[in-house]
Amino acid sequence: MSLDSQGILAAVTLAIYFPIFFFAARIAFRYGVGQKGWIILVIFTLIRIIGGALLVAAEEVRPVVTGLYIGGYALEASGLSPLLMSTLALLQQTTQTPDGQLKYGGAFRLLHLLGMAALVLTIVGISQSSSSSATTMRRAGVILFAVLYIIIVLGALVQWASRQQVMKYRKQLLIAISVALPFLAVRTLYSVLSTFSSSTFITTDSTTTSTSNGALAKFNMFTGEWQIFLAMDLLMEYICVLVYIFAGSTLKLDQDYQLQDYEDYPLNSKPY
């Protein structure tokens, strides 16, 4: 059976994130568990791979297995959460001091909990689409995503205001985050428009139907225009991930401490 436009996009997602997963995993292994931004990025790529595989399988498997659609759509809609939380964790890395301490630890932990709450609301809202509260949960989740994005932008501005205290390579990481933020803004906006474009969606047999809200119908992630989904969702995510992959592959974040040691004890750092 041939794939429709959503199935083709799911197959493309599967294809482009499969190699990206290995790059992300290599970076995460290089820096270890201490820098969880890279680990969350690996989780994001896995979500995209699994989600794409589920949606392709949903169109190929007969008789139709509704659970494949629900699983694929849930992962697609909730994928914004690990991308935002990866950005948040990378931003926290830029606050690290020469003695290895991360600033604002309590605030960042609360923000990660905010992201997890948004993720749970989104997944539950999609998996229980027949429930009367499903729409409310999905919309509450996406609003929390938008709030988290705004806080990340404010956090980046705070870091730029105190950039003299940011170590060399972490300052370059801050540049990478700043480059990704406009693309992440478009992706977050798309999630908001998509979620508010319909009051409900129901997957039956091989189709997904929704009750659309007028002008926003074209932004619906499941039944809207695939060109908008491609431009505002897939492409924006991919650019963000490529920026982070490039930064993680080229920046020498572990050398910030070596540079600091040299500045503090230059005579002891010179070879004889």
Side-chain angles (χ1 to χ4, degrees), residues 4 12 19 26 56 61 64 70 95 98 129 150 158 194 207 214 224 241 271:
D4 61 15
V12 170
R26 180 181 178 183
V56 171
V61 172
V64 172
I70 294 176
T95 71
S129 56
I150 292 172
V158 169
S194 175
T207 61
V241 171

Side-chain angles (χ1 to χ4, degrees), residues 6-7 9-11 13-14 46-58 72 75-76:
Q6 286 290 335
L9 289 175
T13 299
L14 179 61
L46 280 174
I47 286 175
R48 283 293 168 255
I49 291 171
I50 296 172
L54 288 176
L55 289 177
V56 171
L75 289 176
E76 174 58 44

Side-chain angles (χ1 to χ4, degrees), residues 3 50 71 75 89 96 103 134 166 172 177 184 194 196 215 217 228:
L3 299 174
I50 296 172
L75 289 176
Q96 200 162 21
K103 296 180 180 178
V166 180
Q172 294 179 15
I177 294 171
L184 191 54
S194 175
F196 281 86
I228 296 178

Side-chain angles (χ1 to χ4, degrees), residues 178-195:
S178 301
V179 169
L181 282 178
F183 302 102
L184 191 54
V186 176
R187 174 62 183 89
T188 305
L189 175 62
Y190 180 76
S191 280
V192 173
L193 295 175
S194 175
T195 302

Side-chain angles (χ1 to χ4, degrees), residues 21-73:
F21 164 77
F22 292 100
F23 284 104
R26 180 181 178 183
I27 296 170
F29 181 78
R30 171 186 172 188
Y31 288 112
V33 296
Q35 298 191 23
K36 60 184 178 181
W38 310 112
I39 296 175
I40 300 175
L41 190 62
V42 173
I43 294 173
F44 170 78
T45 61
L46 280 174
I47 286 175
R48 283 293 168 255
I49 291 171
I50 296 172
L54 288 176
L55 289 177
V56 171
E59 295 197 10
E60 293 292 334
V61 172
R62 290 296 179 271
V64 172
V65 180
T66 305
L68 292 175
Y69 280 103
I70 294 176
Y73 288 146

Side-chain angles (χ1 to χ4, degrees), residues 80-232:
L80 179 60
S81 176
L83 189 56
L84 284 169
M85 289 196 287
S86 176
T87 304
L88 181 66
L90 293 177
L91 180 62
Q92 186 179 17
Q93 286 299 316
T94 68
T95 71
Q96 200 162 21
T97 61
D99 59 1
Q101 297 299 315
L102 294 171
K103 296 180 180 178
Y104 320 118
F108 277 99
R109 282 191 290 271
L110 288 175
L111 292 176
H112 279 289
L113 289 176
L114 177 67
M116 288 300 300
L119 175 63
V120 171
L121 286 170
T122 302
I123 292 177
V124 173
I126 291 176
S127 60
Q128 298 181 4
S129 56
S130 59
S131 170
S132 59
S133 60
T135 299
T136 301
M137 286 189 288
R138 286 189 294 119
R139 291 179 176 178
V142 80
I143 289 174
L144 291 181
F145 283 144
V147 170
L148 181 58
Y149 172 79
I150 292 172
I151 294 174
I152 289 173
V153 172
L154 294 176
L157 291 175
V158 169
Q159 282 301 94
W160 277 115
S162 57
R163 59 185 177 276
Q164 299 301 327
Q165 302 175 21
V166 180
M167 293 186 286
K168 178 182 176 180
Y169 289 109
R170 278 159 177 74
K171 191 179 298 182
Q172 294 179 15
L173 178 60
L174 180 59
I175 293 174
I177 294 171
S178 301
V179 169
L181 282 178
F183 302 102
L184 191 54
V186 176
R187 174 62 183 89
T188 305
L189 175 62
Y190 180 76
S191 280
V192 173
L193 295 175
S194 175
T195 302
F196 281 86
S197 67
S198 65
S199 57
T200 186
F201 74 92
I202 302 174
T203 301
T204 57
D205 296 335
S206 60
T207 61
T208 301
T209 59
S210 66
T211 304
S212 300
N213 295 331
L216 294 180
K218 61 185 178 182
F219 294 102
N220 190 280
M221 184 178 295
F222 313 114
T223 60
E225 297 180 9
W226 68 266
Q227 297 92 338
I228 296 178
F229 175 74
L230 173 64
M232 296 185 68

